[in-house]
Amino acid sequence: MNKDKIRNLLNIIFMIGAIVGVIYYLTKDRTIGTYIILISMCFKIAESSLRMIK
């Protein structure tokens, strides 16, 4: 896999995780929703670091 495909995959995982986290945060438990959002942010940080390394 080249870098663009990996970045796209990490971005998709981040977007899905952020949406699920916000929905969970608003409807069920705020603590677990926050954890889901934080974990998805780790994927975004990894994607951003790949973009910076180039």
Side-chain angles (χ1 to χ4, degrees):
M1 284 182 106
N2 61 6
K3 266 189 187 178
D4 288 335
K5 287 184 181 181
I6 294 172
R7 281 183 46 220
N8 285 337
L9 180 65
L10 289 172
N11 240 348
I12 289 169
I13 293 171
F14 162 71
M15 287 188 277
I16 292 170
I19 291 170
V20 169
V22 168
I23 291 171
Y24 205 89
Y25 180 85
L26 293 174
T27 59
K28 299 191 182 204
D29 187 16
R30 290 182 177 229
T31 305
I32 295 175
T34 303
Y35 289 147
I36 294 171
I37 293 169
L38 289 174
I39 291 169
S40 66
M41 284 176 65
C42 292
F43 287 101
K44 185 62 179 176
I45 291 169
E47 185 270 331
S48 297
S49 63
L50 279 178
R51 189 181 332 142
M52 285 184 228
I53 290 172
K54 232 176 193 184

